[in-house]
Amino acid sequence: MKVWIKQQVEEALESLAWQGLGADWVVEEPKQSSHGDYSSNVAMVLAKPLKKNPREIAQALADALRLSARFDKVEIAGPGFLNFFLKAQTYQEALVSLASQEAFKANHVAEPQRILIEFVSANPTGPMHLGHGRNAVVGDTLARILEALGHQVVREFYINDHGVQIETLGRSGIYYFKKIHGMSAGEAPGEDMYRGEYVETLVKDLSHEIKNSLGDPLSVGKTLAKVLLERVKEDLAKVDIYFDHYFSEDSLYESSKIKQSIEALKKSGKTYEEEGALWFKTTDFGDDKDRVLIKSDGSYTYFTPDIAYHQDKFKRGFDLYLNVMGADHGGYVTRMKAAVEALGFDPQKLEFLLMQLVSLKRGEVPVAMSKRSGDYVTLKEIVEEVGADATRFFFLMRSHHTSLEFDLELAKSQSSENPVYYAQYAHARLASLLRKAAEAGIDLSKLAQKIDLSSLTLPEELDLIKLMLQFGDRLNLAASFREPHRVIFYLLELAKLFQNYYTQGKTDPRYRLLDQEEEVLLQKLFLVRALKEVLANLLKICGVSAPEKM
RNA sequence: GCCCUCGUAGCUCAGGGGAUAGAGCGUCGGAUUCCUAAUCCGUGUGCGCAGGUUCGAAUCCUGCCGGGGGCGCCA
C-alpha cells in the first residue's frame, strides 16, 4: 500500500514536472489517525530544491492526487504534510490480495542473497548456559526472518575442538576419573580446570572410553568434547535449532589452512616479527594495538585459526557473513575485519551481532549464577522448566543490544501477563472461531475465493487490515537492523488489536464474528482466517508454536 | 585512559529525522449473564545533562555524567 501511494505521488510529481529532484522523501504510517492512513513529507523535503513554500507544493500535489478513486481525501496539514485518507474499499481489496498471496510469499526481496550466519559456537567443554541460549535463539530467529524474505541462509557452528581448552577438559576428566575410582587424584581442581557436577557424571558415563588414555589429556579431552557436543546439539534441538554445518577448528590444522592463511597475511605486508613472535599489524585497520599470530613459543593464538576459518568462509563466496557472539567478545570485531581485509576480501560483508548479558530471576528474586564455580543454570534446565515456546519468546523479547532479565515465574505463568500466552491465545481464539463456524455448517472453502468484503467497515477491522499490510515492511526492518525482537513486538501489536476488537463483540452486535447473516459472516471469517495466517507466520518465524486450542 | 554498548513513565522495555513520545506490569476504577475471563476499557507533568546540525531531534554530531562489557604472546 505504501509503495502504491509512493507511486501515486511520483506520478503527481511528474505531472507537475517536479520529478527527479532526488530528495529523500517517504510515505509512512502516522502515529495519529487524524493525520490520515498514510502521510508523506514530500512537500517539506522538496521545499528547498524547488525554492517554494512547502504548503504550496503540498497543495499542488494534493490537487493532482485527488483524482484517484482509492483516496477518500488528501489533506494538507501542519508545516506541509500530505495526509492520505483511504476508502474502506481500498483496504477491503488490499486484504483480498494479501490473503491470496499464499502466506505472503510476495514479500520476498527482489534480490535474494546467500548468507552465512555463524552463531552459538559454544566450546564443547560444558553444557550450554543462558547466554548461549540467547545467542542461539536470536541467531536462529534472524536466520528464519532472512529466509522468510527469500534469502538463502546457511547456519554454521564453529567448534573449538583443538586448543588448550580441550586439553584442560581432558585434565579435568582425568582428575575426576581418579577421584571416582579411588586413585590419588592430586589437588582439588582450581580455576585452571573445568569443575562442576557435569564433568564428574560425564566421566562416570565414559569411564570405559577413557580409562586407557589417562596419560594423554588431549585424547581424553577429545573423547569428552565429542559427547559434550552431542549434548549441545540435543539441547539446541529442544528449542528447534538445527545447524546446516559444523565447522571443526581441528580440521583447519589437519588441512594446513592455518599455515596458508598466515602466508597470505605475510604476503599482504601487514605482518612483522618482534620478540620472537609473529605480529599482525591490525593498527593499520583501526585497532588499538597489533595482535600476535604466532607466539614466541611457536604456537598460535586463538585468533590465528579464526582467521583461517574466516578465510575459508569467504572463499565459499557468500554475499553476507553474520557472526552472533557475546558482547564480551566485542574487541574481536575490529581485528577480524582487519584480517578479512588484509586477505583481500570485503570487510563490509562481515557483520557482528553482539549479545548483551542474560540474568535470571524468579519473580522479584534474582537467581545467583557463578560461571567460575561451575554453578550456573543451563539452557536445558530452563527449557525443562518453562517450555521451549516461552524460552524462545523470552529470549526474543528484548533488543540484543540490551541486557535481558529472564523471569522464570512470568515465563511459566499461564495468564495474560505472560506475553507468550497472550500471543498464542490470540491465534487459538481465531482457530476456535473457524472451528465453531465449521461446526455450524459454514463452508470454509468459500474463503479461498476472492470475495467482496464491503461489510468490513468497522474502524478496528480497517486498522487490523492496515497493520497486517505492514507484514513485509516489518520483516524487512527486522532483517535490515538484524533485530529479531521487532517481530515479537509486531506480533504482540496484532494480537492486542485483535483481542480488543474481539471483546467488543460482547457488548456490540456489530462486532460479533459468528452471529451474522451468512454473507457478512463469510466476510468476517475471511478477516479471521487471514489474521490467523499472519499470526501463525510470525510465530513460526519466532520458532514458537501456534496452537489451535488452548 | 581508550574502544563498544545502554540511559525513555514507579518498574521492565518499544520507538534509529516528522506532527500531541508508546506498550506491558504495578496503582486505582470499571466492562463482559460471552464466538474460550489465558479477555477488554479507563487511569501517566517521562526522553541523563549541555551544546550543535535541521523547516523539524528521543532519534544524527560533539562534550560531559551514570550503568554494563572489552582493552593478554587467555579463549
Side-chain angles (χ1 to χ4, degrees), chain A residues 50-304:
Chain A
L50 285 171
K51 295 192 176 119
K52 273 180 180 295
N53 180 323
R55 289 193 64 106
E56 274 177 43
I57 299 171
Q59 185 62 55
L61 285 170
D63 289 342
L65 283 163
R66 278 184 185 122
L67 300 170
S68 169
R70 287 191 183 172
F71 292 122
D72 199 13
K73 54 181 174 176
V74 179
E75 284 184 351
I76 300 149
F81 283 104
L82 219 42
N83 294 338
F84 306 96
F85 294 82
L86 300 183
K87 290 187 172 156
Q89 189 192 344
T90 308
Y91 282 121
Q92 292 153 7
E93 289 166 5
L95 178 61
V96 172
S97 104
L98 181 74
S100 68
Q101 285 167 15
E102 285 178 50
F104 315 99
K105 290 218 169 63
N107 286 298
H108 280 194
V109 290
E111 291 175 20
Q113 293 189 305
R114 290 188 66 227
I115 299 170
L116 178 71
I117 178 165
E118 180 203 334
F119 58 113
V120 187
S121 295
N123 286 347
T125 53
M128 301 228 298
H129 57 253
L130 275 184
H132 295 129
R134 185 180 199 185
N135 181 310
V137 170
V138 170
D140 180 65
T141 305
L142 181 56
R144 288 175 190 237
I145 292 167
L146 293 165
E147 283 169 339
L149 289 167
H151 296 294
Q152 191 186 330
V153 181
V154 171
R155 293 166 172 79
E156 191 157 292
F157 186 123
Y158 179 64
I159 316 161
N160 291 103
D161 54 1
H162 185 89
V164 287
Q165 72 272 20
I166 299 300
E167 195 182 326
T168 304
L169 178 65
R171 282 192 291 112
S172 313
I174 291 164
Y175 167 84
Y176 282 106
F177 182 91
K178 288 180 174 171
K179 187 182 162 208
I180 293 163
H181 293 87
M183 302 156 74
S184 70
E187 284 176 40
E191 300 235 345
D192 60 336
M193 286 226 225
Y194 292 98
R195 287 164 295 170
E197 249 185 77
Y198 79 89
V199 190
E200 197 164 343
T201 47
L202 180 65
V203 168
K204 259 183 211 160
D205 294 347
L206 294 178
S207 284
H208 184 70
E209 282 83 350
I210 62 178
K211 69 179 177 202
N212 292 323
S213 41
L214 294 181
D216 184 354
L218 191 62
S219 160
V220 172
K222 284 194 175 179
T223 304
L224 299 180
K226 203 174 162 192
V227 175
L228 285 167
L229 180 63
E230 287 313 307
R231 295 193 180 169
V232 164
K233 290 182 187 175
E234 286 166 19
D235 291 353
L236 288 168
K238 287 198 171 112
V239 282
D240 208 16
I241 295 176
Y242 302 92
F243 284 85
D244 300 298
H245 194 206
Y246 289 83
F247 194 105
S248 153
E249 179 185 4
D250 220 20
S251 73
L252 291 167
Y253 287 81
E254 287 162 11
S255 61
S256 72
K257 279 184 181 160
I258 300 176
K259 280 184 184 159
Q260 288 168 27
S261 65
I262 290 174
E263 287 311 311
L265 281 180
K266 280 184 179 169
K267 253 186 170 171
S268 76
K270 296 293 183 186
T271 62
Y272 60 93
E273 286 186 40
E274 195 175 287
E275 294 173 21
L278 182 70
W279 295 74
F280 175 29
K281 213 162 184 307
T282 53
T283 47
D284 281 2
F285 303 89
D287 203 357
D288 295 339
K289 52 187 76 170
D290 293 338
R291 307 291 164 178
V292 170
L293 294 170
I294 305 179
K295 299 186 226 172
S296 50
D297 69 0
S299 65
Y300 301 131
T301 62
Y302 79 97
F303 180 37
T304 312

Side-chain angles (χ1 to χ4, degrees), chain A residues 487-499:
Chain A
V487 178
I488 292 284
F489 280 90
Y490 180 47
L491 176 59
L492 290 172
E493 266 178 66
L494 279 167
K496 162 143 186 149
L497 205 52
F498 167 67
Q499 296 286 27

Side-chain angles (χ1 to χ4, degrees), chain A residues 439-457:
Chain A
E439 282 164 13
I442 304 298
D443 180 8
L444 294 180
S445 68
K446 286 184 185 164
L447 298 181
Q449 300 151 18
K450 292 194 175 187
I451 63 173
D452 166 66
L453 297 176
S454 54
S455 299
L456 297 181
T457 52

